[in-house]
Amino acid sequence: MVLQWPKYVFLILTVLFVTYSIHIYSLPEGISKNYHPALAAEGRLVWQKYNCQSCHQLFGLGGYLGPDLSNVYSAKGKGPVYINAFTRSGSGQMPAFNPDPNEMNALLEFLKSVDDCGVASPAHFKVKPDGMISNPG
Amino acid sequence: MEKSNAGKWFYLLALVMLLAALVFGVLAALSYSSQGLWKESLGFIKLRPLHVSSALFWILTGANGIVFFALQAMGLKLFSPVLARVQWLLWVVAMAGIFYSYFSGDFGGREYWEYPPVWSVFIFMAWVLLAINFFMSTGSFHQRPVYFWMWSTGIIFFLLIFLENYLWIFPSFREHFLQDTTIQWKVNGSLVGCWNQMIYGTAMFLMEKISGDKTTARSPLAFSMYFLGLFNLMFNWSHHIYTLPTAEYVRYIGYIVSMTEWIILLRIIYTWKAAVSTAKKHLHYYPYRFLLAADAWVFLNLFLALLMSVPAINLYTHGTHFTVAHAMGTTIGINSMLLLAAGFEFSGLKVPGQNKTIRAAFIMVQVSLLLFWIVLIAAGVYKANWQMNHPEISHTQMMQSLRPVFVVFTLAGLVLMFSLGSIAFYLFKKMTGPGQHLSTFPA
Ligand code: HEM
């Protein structure tokens, strides 16, 4: 006996999936004027080129050896000068990198755009009764 | 005419990747628990991608191999051995390019795909050939048992989502971190779902073959479970990014959809005994053992995953070694066990159950993996407490105090490397031994 309903369920799910995907692409999220989008987009490539992600996280996503860098751009006593110095010197398990000034400029803009999204530390979230969490104010 | 051996060629390639993953894993762990071992030459920066990509390729090429194996076991003639050959070569070229890039410190990709994107063109082309060969060999799938649906969905969705995985090539997709990262993890979540469809499909086929029960894979229940899996592949991904400030309903969709997997967990508990009694344990000694092991690991990992998918709990586990425990727990405990079950079954090797080496290795794999998993969870608990309650302690200090835990992790990994490695090596040796017809690749 061959079931007939599976092909309809398959079609419906696929249509829903495509619709949801298109919707996700068109969400106007994270659009802010506090950074230069094109430069940040370049900086993301620098982040990838030097593989910072294999040890660092952004919003908790990435490797686990080094600290999360989501808000290092605005952290007290840190910021662009600190990031530049740290990246060039390395420390402990982190090797020293030698990006050219344009690359560093773009990388800093990228980290600024990440910081601009909000606070990443989980300690700042609020838990709702249904188990959902809400963003720090 | 000789039977197709495309499955075997892919499986052998996969075994080489498994061995590489094990060696790079242990080296990565060594550089992890030491003070920057070889940091200016090899270092963690190269070892992590080397390890993760080998692990991923073990699973992907292994999934290719076992699907070819299964088609052959069903007596379906492969549409084009030539395509299979080209497909295999494309994979080898991609792997060579990727490993070369890593060793020379040339990155440029993203998590799990950290190599320059050009190599993905080869993987994509190989996958197109797989799709052609698969569908031309099997014809329409809608009248077939559920495992055909699973293979088909895995193959087709992988193609589409792998393209989505590279939308970031276009600068406009990278301009806003939030949007970019949302798409990135939507993609990562769904890609995992794709290879799971291929591997679980084969596991179902194996169960059917072992038990001789042909009705299960055509039953409404089997289709319902398949759709539950597909539904999750499509919509559960936002559980990776709860802490990103996306729209709240995006989070809710991932949360609610993830919770439907409790049904799978309950079903496992409910059918456990039934599965054990139907299998013909002695005829299929090792395939059956590996299937059972995978069952146990599904249970443990699904439980952990379900907890991690509750946002309030995810707040603690996110960004900690809980995630690593989950990632390796599932890729080793579930995917690798199922791939090995299929390898023992389809290779046509008659491996006697009393083969002492394999038996001992099997037990060592399970024990060391359990220790490995528990140790990672312990590290996760420690880090979770740190990130929630101790902003005054630096990340470096926190990692320092975890060092003893990482030493145990490395030791467990070492045992895992030797035990899992010896099983892989055994299969490799047997599959390339006398009478294995490898010269006619893949004919
Ligand atoms: C079949 C065997 C294995 C598979 C499939 C596998 C898979 C993976 C995967 C998917 C990840 C990424 C985790 C994440 O991003 O959350 C990973 C990371 C890792 N694995 Fe494995 N692994 C295997 C064996 C091993 C072994 C034997 C070791 C040795 C101790 C090991 C050590 C590591 C380390 C150190 C990381 C990096 C974790 C981090 O970034 O902090 N793996 N592995």
Side-chain angles (χ1 to χ4, degrees), chain A residues 54-55 62-65, chain B residues 18 21-30 32 44 48 51-52 55-56 58-59 111-112 185 320-321 323-328 331-332 336 372 376 399 406 409-414 416-417 420:
Chain A
S54 83
C55 303
Y64 304 82
L65 191 59
Chain B
L18 170 58
L22 290 167
V23 173
F24 291 133
V26 168
L27 291 179
L30 282 174
Y32 205 112
F44 192 74
R48 188 181 204 275
H51 171 60
V52 175
L56 220 58
W58 145 239
I59 291 168
E111 275 111 307
Y112 311 124
W185 288 89
T320 71
H321 295 82
T323 313
V324 190
H326 165 70
M328 285 205 262
T331 50
I332 307 175
S336 300
F372 194 75
L376 282 170
M399 289 294 274
F406 292 137
F409 166 73
T410 309
L411 290 175
L414 209 61
L416 193 58
M417 177 182 86
L420 198 53

Short mmCIF file of all heavy atoms in Angstrom, two decimals, chain A residues 54-55 62-65, chain B residues 18 21-30 32 44 48 51-52 55-56 58-59 111-112 185 320-321 323-328 331-332 336 372 376 399 406 409-414 416-417 420, ligand 1:
data_model
loop_
_atom_site.label_atom_id
_atom_site.label_comp_id
_atom_site.label_asym_id
_atom_site.label_seq_id
_atom_site.Cartn_x
_atom_site.Cartn_y
_atom_site.Cartn_z
N SER A 54 38.04 30.88 15.07
CA SER A 54 38.32 29.54 15.59
C SER A 54 38.62 29.60 17.09
O SER A 54 38.55 28.58 17.77
CB SER A 54 39.44 28.86 14.80
OG SER A 54 40.68 29.27 15.26
N CYS A 55 38.91 30.77 17.62
CA CYS A 55 39.12 30.90 19.07
C CYS A 55 38.16 31.88 19.74
O CYS A 55 38.08 31.90 20.96
CB CYS A 55 40.52 31.37 19.39
SG CYS A 55 41.81 30.33 18.71
N GLY A 62 31.12 30.57 17.89
CA GLY A 62 32.50 30.53 17.44
C GLY A 62 33.29 29.56 18.30
O GLY A 62 32.70 28.72 18.99
N GLY A 63 34.62 29.66 18.27
CA GLY A 63 35.46 28.75 19.04
C GLY A 63 35.49 29.12 20.52
O GLY A 63 34.98 30.17 20.92
N TYR A 64 36.10 28.25 21.31
CA TYR A 64 35.96 28.38 22.77
C TYR A 64 37.25 28.68 23.51
O TYR A 64 37.24 28.80 24.72
CB TYR A 64 35.35 27.08 23.33
CG TYR A 64 34.04 26.76 22.67
CD1 TYR A 64 33.99 26.11 21.44
CD2 TYR A 64 32.85 27.15 23.26
CE1 TYR A 64 32.79 25.86 20.82
CE2 TYR A 64 31.63 26.89 22.65
CZ TYR A 64 31.61 26.25 21.42
OH TYR A 64 30.42 26.00 20.80
N LEU A 65 38.34 28.80 22.77
CA LEU A 65 39.62 28.96 23.46
C LEU A 65 39.79 30.37 24.02
O LEU A 65 40.30 30.55 25.12
CB LEU A 65 40.76 28.62 22.48
CG LEU A 65 42.14 28.48 23.05
CD1 LEU A 65 42.19 27.39 24.11
CD2 LEU A 65 43.14 28.13 21.95
N LEU B 18 38.06 10.10 8.77
CA LEU B 18 37.82 9.80 10.18
C LEU B 18 39.15 9.71 10.92
O LEU B 18 39.32 10.30 12.00
CB LEU B 18 37.03 8.48 10.32
CG LEU B 18 36.92 7.91 11.74
CD1 LEU B 18 36.26 8.90 12.69
CD2 LEU B 18 36.12 6.61 11.74
N ALA B 21 40.49 13.11 11.36
CA ALA B 21 39.75 13.86 12.38
C ALA B 21 40.24 13.48 13.77
O ALA B 21 40.40 14.33 14.65
CB ALA B 21 38.25 13.60 12.25
N LEU B 22 40.48 12.19 13.96
CA LEU B 22 40.91 11.73 15.28
C LEU B 22 42.28 12.29 15.64
O LEU B 22 42.50 12.80 16.74
CB LEU B 22 40.93 10.20 15.30
CG LEU B 22 39.55 9.54 15.25
CD1 LEU B 22 39.67 8.04 14.96
CD2 LEU B 22 38.79 9.77 16.55
N VAL B 23 43.21 12.21 14.68
CA VAL B 23 44.56 12.69 14.95
C VAL B 23 44.56 14.21 15.20
O VAL B 23 45.11 14.70 16.19
CB VAL B 23 45.51 12.31 13.80
CG1 VAL B 23 46.87 12.96 13.99
CG2 VAL B 23 45.64 10.81 13.71
N PHE B 24 43.87 14.95 14.32
CA PHE B 24 43.84 16.41 14.50
C PHE B 24 43.09 16.79 15.77
O PHE B 24 43.42 17.79 16.42
CB PHE B 24 43.19 17.09 13.29
CG PHE B 24 44.02 17.02 12.04
CD1 PHE B 24 43.45 16.65 10.83
CD2 PHE B 24 45.37 17.35 12.07
CE1 PHE B 24 44.21 16.58 9.67
CE2 PHE B 24 46.14 17.28 10.92
CZ PHE B 24 45.56 16.90 9.71
N GLY B 25 42.09 15.99 16.13
CA GLY B 25 41.35 16.27 17.36
C GLY B 25 42.26 16.19 18.57
O GLY B 25 42.26 17.09 19.43
N VAL B 26 43.06 15.14 18.62
CA VAL B 26 43.95 14.98 19.76
C VAL B 26 45.02 16.08 19.77
O VAL B 26 45.33 16.66 20.81
CB VAL B 26 44.59 13.57 19.77
CG1 VAL B 26 45.72 13.50 20.76
CG2 VAL B 26 43.53 12.53 20.09
N LEU B 27 45.55 16.41 18.58
CA LEU B 27 46.54 17.49 18.53
C LEU B 27 45.92 18.82 18.97
O LEU B 27 46.53 19.59 19.71
CB LEU B 27 47.11 17.62 17.11
CG LEU B 27 47.99 16.46 16.65
CD1 LEU B 27 48.47 16.69 15.22
CD2 LEU B 27 49.19 16.29 17.58
N ALA B 28 44.68 19.06 18.53
CA ALA B 28 44.00 20.30 18.92
C ALA B 28 43.82 20.32 20.44
O ALA B 28 44.04 21.35 21.09
CB ALA B 28 42.64 20.42 18.23
N ALA B 29 43.46 19.18 20.99
CA ALA B 29 43.25 19.12 22.44
C ALA B 29 44.57 19.36 23.18
O ALA B 29 44.60 20.01 24.23
CB ALA B 29 42.66 17.77 22.83
N LEU B 30 45.67 18.83 22.60
CA LEU B 30 46.97 19.06 23.23
C LEU B 30 47.32 20.55 23.22
O LEU B 30 47.79 21.10 24.23
CB LEU B 30 48.06 18.27 22.50
CG LEU B 30 48.14 16.78 22.82
CD1 LEU B 30 49.16 16.10 21.91
CD2 LEU B 30 48.51 16.57 24.29
N TYR B 32 45.30 22.87 23.13
CA TYR B 32 44.28 23.51 23.95
C TYR B 32 44.69 23.51 25.42
O TYR B 32 44.58 24.51 26.12
CB TYR B 32 43.02 22.66 23.82
CG TYR B 32 41.71 23.36 24.06
CD1 TYR B 32 40.83 23.57 23.00
CD2 TYR B 32 41.31 23.75 25.33
CE1 TYR B 32 39.61 24.16 23.20
CE2 TYR B 32 40.09 24.35 25.53
CZ TYR B 32 39.24 24.56 24.47
OH TYR B 32 38.03 25.14 24.68
N PHE B 44 46.48 25.96 17.38
CA PHE B 44 45.04 25.73 17.42
C PHE B 44 44.33 26.38 16.24
O PHE B 44 43.33 25.88 15.74
CB PHE B 44 44.49 26.26 18.75
CG PHE B 44 43.08 25.82 19.03
CD1 PHE B 44 42.82 24.52 19.42
CD2 PHE B 44 42.02 26.70 18.90
CE1 PHE B 44 41.52 24.09 19.67
CE2 PHE B 44 40.72 26.28 19.15
CZ PHE B 44 40.47 24.98 19.54
N ARG B 48 42.07 23.45 14.71
CA ARG B 48 40.62 23.36 14.86
C ARG B 48 39.93 23.17 13.51
O ARG B 48 39.16 22.23 13.34
CB ARG B 48 40.06 24.58 15.60
CG ARG B 48 38.59 24.41 15.94
CD ARG B 48 38.03 25.62 16.65
NE ARG B 48 36.86 25.29 17.44
CZ ARG B 48 35.61 25.22 16.97
NH1 ARG B 48 35.38 25.45 15.71
NH2 ARG B 48 34.62 24.91 17.77
N HIS B 51 40.63 19.72 12.16
CA HIS B 51 39.84 18.70 12.85
C HIS B 51 38.37 18.73 12.44
O HIS B 51 37.79 17.72 12.06
CB HIS B 51 39.96 18.91 14.37
CG HIS B 51 39.03 18.06 15.17
ND1 HIS B 51 39.04 16.69 15.12
CD2 HIS B 51 38.04 18.39 16.04
CE1 HIS B 51 38.11 16.21 15.94
NE2 HIS B 51 37.47 17.23 16.49
N VAL B 52 37.80 19.92 12.49
CA VAL B 52 36.36 20.02 12.24
C VAL B 52 36.03 19.68 10.79
O VAL B 52 35.07 18.97 10.50
CB VAL B 52 35.84 21.41 12.64
CG1 VAL B 52 34.38 21.56 12.27
CG2 VAL B 52 36.01 21.63 14.14
N ALA B 55 36.27 15.96 10.28
CA ALA B 55 35.11 15.30 10.89
C ALA B 55 33.88 15.45 9.99
O ALA B 55 33.14 14.50 9.74
CB ALA B 55 34.84 15.88 12.27
N LEU B 56 33.71 16.66 9.48
CA LEU B 56 32.57 16.93 8.60
C LEU B 56 32.65 16.10 7.32
O LEU B 56 31.66 15.56 6.84
CB LEU B 56 32.60 18.41 8.24
CG LEU B 56 31.30 19.14 8.19
CD1 LEU B 56 30.60 19.04 9.53
CD2 LEU B 56 31.54 20.61 7.85
N TRP B 58 34.27 13.27 6.92
CA TRP B 58 34.00 11.86 7.27
C TRP B 58 32.50 11.62 7.17
O TRP B 58 32.04 10.66 6.55
CB TRP B 58 34.57 11.57 8.64
CG TRP B 58 33.84 10.59 9.56
CD1 TRP B 58 33.36 10.88 10.81
CD2 TRP B 58 33.58 9.18 9.36
NE1 TRP B 58 32.80 9.76 11.37
CE2 TRP B 58 32.91 8.69 10.51
CE3 TRP B 58 33.81 8.29 8.31
CZ2 TRP B 58 32.49 7.38 10.65
CZ3 TRP B 58 33.39 6.96 8.46
CH2 TRP B 58 32.74 6.51 9.61
N ILE B 59 31.74 12.53 7.74
CA ILE B 59 30.30 12.32 7.76
C ILE B 59 29.69 12.49 6.36
O ILE B 59 28.88 11.68 5.93
CB ILE B 59 29.67 13.29 8.78
CG1 ILE B 59 30.09 12.86 10.19
CG2 ILE B 59 28.15 13.31 8.66
CD1 ILE B 59 29.78 13.86 11.26
N GLU B 111 32.88 29.46 10.23
CA GLU B 111 32.89 28.29 11.11
C GLU B 111 32.49 27.02 10.37
O GLU B 111 31.47 27.01 9.67
CB GLU B 111 31.88 28.47 12.25
CG GLU B 111 32.40 29.23 13.43
CD GLU B 111 31.70 30.57 13.52
OE1 GLU B 111 31.69 31.29 12.49
OE2 GLU B 111 31.17 30.86 14.59
N TYR B 112 33.24 25.99 10.59
CA TYR B 112 33.05 24.66 10.00
C TYR B 112 33.44 24.60 8.52
O TYR B 112 33.65 23.52 7.98
CB TYR B 112 31.60 24.14 10.15
CG TYR B 112 31.08 24.27 11.56
CD1 TYR B 112 29.93 24.97 11.85
CD2 TYR B 112 31.79 23.71 12.63
CE1 TYR B 112 29.48 25.11 13.15
CE2 TYR B 112 31.34 23.85 13.93
CZ TYR B 112 30.19 24.55 14.18
OH TYR B 112 29.75 24.70 15.47
N TRP B 185 23.37 30.95 10.76
CA TRP B 185 23.01 29.84 11.66
C TRP B 185 21.74 29.14 11.24
O TRP B 185 21.51 27.98 11.59
CB TRP B 185 23.01 30.30 13.12
CG TRP B 185 24.45 30.49 13.49
CD1 TRP B 185 25.18 31.63 13.34
CD2 TRP B 185 25.37 29.47 13.91
NE1 TRP B 185 26.50 31.38 13.65
CE2 TRP B 185 26.64 30.08 14.02
CE3 TRP B 185 25.25 28.12 14.20
CZ2 TRP B 185 27.77 29.37 14.42
CZ3 TRP B 185 26.38 27.42 14.62
CH2 TRP B 185 27.62 28.06 14.72
N THR B 320 29.30 27.78 25.78
CA THR B 320 30.15 27.02 26.69
C THR B 320 30.44 25.64 26.09
O THR B 320 29.95 25.32 25.00
CB THR B 320 29.47 26.78 28.05
OG1 THR B 320 28.42 25.83 27.85
CG2 THR B 320 28.89 28.06 28.61
N HIS B 321 31.17 24.82 26.82
CA HIS B 321 31.52 23.50 26.31
C HIS B 321 30.34 22.54 26.29
O HIS B 321 30.46 21.42 25.80
CB HIS B 321 32.70 22.94 27.09
CG HIS B 321 33.94 23.77 26.87
ND1 HIS B 321 34.17 24.93 27.58
CD2 HIS B 321 34.95 23.65 25.98
CE1 HIS B 321 35.29 25.48 27.14
NE2 HIS B 321 35.78 24.73 26.18
N THR B 323 28.00 23.12 24.34
CA THR B 323 27.80 23.07 22.89
C THR B 323 28.78 22.10 22.25
O THR B 323 28.43 21.37 21.33
CB THR B 323 27.96 24.48 22.28
OG1 THR B 323 27.22 25.39 23.07
CG2 THR B 323 27.48 24.51 20.85
N VAL B 324 30.02 22.09 22.76
CA VAL B 324 31.01 21.16 22.20
C VAL B 324 30.60 19.72 22.52
O VAL B 324 30.70 18.83 21.67
CB VAL B 324 32.41 21.46 22.76
CG1 VAL B 324 33.46 20.67 21.99
CG2 VAL B 324 32.74 22.94 22.68
N ALA B 325 30.09 19.51 23.75
CA ALA B 325 29.62 18.17 24.12
C ALA B 325 28.49 17.74 23.19
O ALA B 325 28.45 16.61 22.70
CB ALA B 325 29.13 18.15 25.57
N HIS B 326 27.61 18.67 22.92
CA HIS B 326 26.49 18.36 22.02
C HIS B 326 27.00 18.05 20.61
O HIS B 326 26.61 17.06 20.00
CB HIS B 326 25.52 19.54 21.99
CG HIS B 326 24.56 19.49 20.86
ND1 HIS B 326 23.55 18.57 20.79
CD2 HIS B 326 24.47 20.23 19.73
CE1 HIS B 326 22.87 18.76 19.67
NE2 HIS B 326 23.40 19.75 19.00
N ALA B 327 27.92 18.91 20.12
CA ALA B 327 28.40 18.74 18.74
C ALA B 327 29.14 17.41 18.59
O ALA B 327 28.87 16.63 17.67
CB ALA B 327 29.31 19.90 18.34
N MET B 328 30.07 17.14 19.50
CA MET B 328 30.82 15.90 19.33
C MET B 328 30.01 14.69 19.79
O MET B 328 30.14 13.60 19.23
CB MET B 328 32.16 15.99 20.05
CG MET B 328 33.13 16.87 19.27
SD MET B 328 34.83 16.48 19.62
CE MET B 328 35.22 17.73 20.81
N THR B 331 27.93 13.98 16.64
CA THR B 331 28.66 13.55 15.44
C THR B 331 29.41 12.23 15.68
O THR B 331 29.51 11.41 14.78
CB THR B 331 29.66 14.61 14.94
OG1 THR B 331 30.46 15.04 16.03
CG2 THR B 331 28.95 15.80 14.32
N ILE B 332 29.92 12.03 16.90
CA ILE B 332 30.61 10.76 17.16
C ILE B 332 29.57 9.70 17.55
O ILE B 332 29.47 8.64 16.95
CB ILE B 332 31.67 10.88 18.28
CG1 ILE B 332 32.63 12.03 17.98
CG2 ILE B 332 32.45 9.58 18.41
CD1 ILE B 332 33.64 12.30 19.09
N SER B 336 28.62 8.82 13.65
CA SER B 336 29.72 7.89 13.40
C SER B 336 29.30 6.44 13.68
O SER B 336 29.67 5.53 12.94
CB SER B 336 30.95 8.25 14.23
OG SER B 336 31.38 9.55 13.90
N PHE B 372 34.49 11.50 27.84
CA PHE B 372 34.73 12.68 27.01
C PHE B 372 33.53 13.64 27.12
O PHE B 372 33.67 14.83 27.37
CB PHE B 372 34.84 12.12 25.59
CG PHE B 372 35.39 13.01 24.52
CD1 PHE B 372 36.74 13.29 24.44
CD2 PHE B 372 34.55 13.50 23.52
CE1 PHE B 372 37.25 14.04 23.40
CE2 PHE B 372 35.05 14.25 22.49
CZ PHE B 372 36.40 14.53 22.43
N LEU B 376 33.27 17.31 29.08
CA LEU B 376 32.91 18.55 28.39
C LEU B 376 31.73 19.23 29.07
O LEU B 376 31.68 20.46 29.20
CB LEU B 376 32.59 18.26 26.91
CG LEU B 376 33.80 18.06 26.01
CD1 LEU B 376 33.39 17.55 24.64
CD2 LEU B 376 34.60 19.36 25.86
N MET B 399 39.79 29.91 32.25
CA MET B 399 40.31 28.80 31.44
C MET B 399 41.48 28.11 32.15
O MET B 399 41.64 26.91 32.05
CB MET B 399 40.75 29.31 30.06
CG MET B 399 39.60 29.70 29.15
SD MET B 399 38.56 28.30 28.64
CE MET B 399 39.46 27.71 27.21
N PHE B 406 40.61 19.84 31.11
CA PHE B 406 41.03 19.65 29.72
C PHE B 406 42.07 18.54 29.60
O PHE B 406 42.18 17.91 28.54
CB PHE B 406 41.56 20.96 29.13
CG PHE B 406 40.47 22.00 28.96
CD1 PHE B 406 40.71 23.33 29.30
CD2 PHE B 406 39.23 21.65 28.48
CE1 PHE B 406 39.71 24.28 29.16
CE2 PHE B 406 38.22 22.59 28.34
CZ PHE B 406 38.46 23.91 28.68
N PHE B 409 40.02 15.51 29.45
CA PHE B 409 39.41 15.53 28.11
C PHE B 409 40.40 14.99 27.08
O PHE B 409 40.06 14.13 26.25
CB PHE B 409 39.01 16.98 27.80
CG PHE B 409 38.67 17.26 26.36
CD1 PHE B 409 37.49 16.81 25.82
CD2 PHE B 409 39.53 18.00 25.56
CE1 PHE B 409 37.16 17.08 24.49
CE2 PHE B 409 39.22 18.27 24.24
CZ PHE B 409 38.03 17.81 23.71
N THR B 410 41.64 15.46 27.15
CA THR B 410 42.65 15.02 26.19
C THR B 410 42.93 13.53 26.33
O THR B 410 43.07 12.81 25.33
CB THR B 410 43.95 15.82 26.38
OG1 THR B 410 43.63 17.21 26.38
CG2 THR B 410 44.94 15.54 25.28
N LEU B 411 42.99 13.06 27.59
CA LEU B 411 43.27 11.63 27.80
C LEU B 411 42.12 10.77 27.26
O LEU B 411 42.35 9.78 26.57
CB LEU B 411 43.49 11.35 29.29
CG LEU B 411 44.80 11.93 29.85
CD1 LEU B 411 44.89 11.71 31.36
CD2 LEU B 411 46.00 11.31 29.14
N ALA B 412 40.90 11.18 27.56
CA ALA B 412 39.74 10.43 27.04
C ALA B 412 39.77 10.45 25.51
O ALA B 412 39.49 9.44 24.86
CB ALA B 412 38.44 11.03 27.56
N GLY B 413 40.15 11.61 24.95
CA GLY B 413 40.23 11.73 23.50
C GLY B 413 41.29 10.81 22.91
O GLY B 413 41.13 10.25 21.83
N LEU B 414 42.37 10.65 23.66
CA LEU B 414 43.46 9.77 23.22
C LEU B 414 42.96 8.32 23.13
O LEU B 414 43.21 7.62 22.15
CB LEU B 414 44.61 9.89 24.22
CG LEU B 414 46.01 9.66 23.71
CD1 LEU B 414 46.37 10.67 22.64
CD2 LEU B 414 47.00 9.76 24.88
N LEU B 416 39.90 7.43 22.80
CA LEU B 416 38.93 7.43 21.70
C LEU B 416 39.65 7.33 20.36
O LEU B 416 39.24 6.60 19.46
CB LEU B 416 38.10 8.71 21.78
CG LEU B 416 36.86 8.78 20.93
CD1 LEU B 416 35.91 7.64 21.27
CD2 LEU B 416 36.14 10.11 21.14
N MET B 417 40.75 8.07 20.24
CA MET B 417 41.49 8.04 18.99
C MET B 417 41.98 6.62 18.69
O MET B 417 41.81 6.11 17.59
CB MET B 417 42.69 8.99 19.04
CG MET B 417 43.54 8.94 17.78
SD MET B 417 44.97 10.00 17.85
CE MET B 417 46.15 8.94 18.66
N LEU B 420 38.55 4.07 18.36
CA LEU B 420 37.77 4.34 17.15
C LEU B 420 38.67 4.19 15.93
O LEU B 420 38.28 3.66 14.89
CB LEU B 420 37.18 5.75 17.23
CG LEU B 420 36.03 6.10 16.31
CD1 LEU B 420 34.91 5.09 16.43
CD2 LEU B 420 35.48 7.50 16.63
C1 HEM C 1 34.79 10.88 15.10
C2 HEM C 1 35.42 11.64 15.91
C3 HEM C 1 35.16 13.12 16.12
C4 HEM C 1 34.22 13.93 15.54
C5 HEM C 1 33.15 13.55 14.51
C6 HEM C 1 34.40 15.26 16.11
C7 HEM C 1 33.66 16.38 15.76
C8 HEM C 1 33.87 17.67 16.23
C9 HEM C 1 33.07 18.84 15.93
C10 HEM C 1 31.83 18.85 15.04
C11 HEM C 1 33.59 19.91 16.59
C12 HEM C 1 33.07 21.35 16.59
C13 HEM C 1 32.43 21.62 17.92
C14 HEM C 1 31.78 22.96 18.07
O1 HEM C 1 32.06 23.91 17.33
O2 HEM C 1 30.93 23.10 18.97
C15 HEM C 1 34.75 19.43 17.30
C16 HEM C 1 35.57 20.23 18.08
C17 HEM C 1 36.67 19.76 18.79
N1 HEM C 1 37.06 18.43 18.92
FE1 HEM C 1 36.24 16.83 17.97
N2 HEM C 1 35.44 15.23 17.01
C18 HEM C 1 35.91 13.93 17.04
C19 HEM C 1 36.93 13.43 17.84
C20 HEM C 1 37.72 14.22 18.66
C21 HEM C 1 38.80 13.70 19.47
C22 HEM C 1 39.24 12.25 19.57
C23 HEM C 1 39.34 14.78 20.11
C24 HEM C 1 40.50 14.72 21.06
C25 HEM C 1 40.44 15.12 22.27
C26 HEM C 1 38.60 15.97 19.71
C27 HEM C 1 38.86 17.27 20.13
C28 HEM C 1 38.18 18.40 19.74
C29 HEM C 1 38.52 19.76 20.13
C30 HEM C 1 39.67 20.19 21.04
C31 HEM C 1 37.58 20.61 19.54
C32 HEM C 1 37.52 22.14 19.63
C33 HEM C 1 36.62 22.61 20.70
C34 HEM C 1 36.75 24.10 20.90
O3 HEM C 1 36.74 24.90 19.98
O4 HEM C 1 36.90 24.50 22.05
N3 HEM C 1 37.62 15.57 18.83
N4 HEM C 1 34.90 18.06 17.08
#
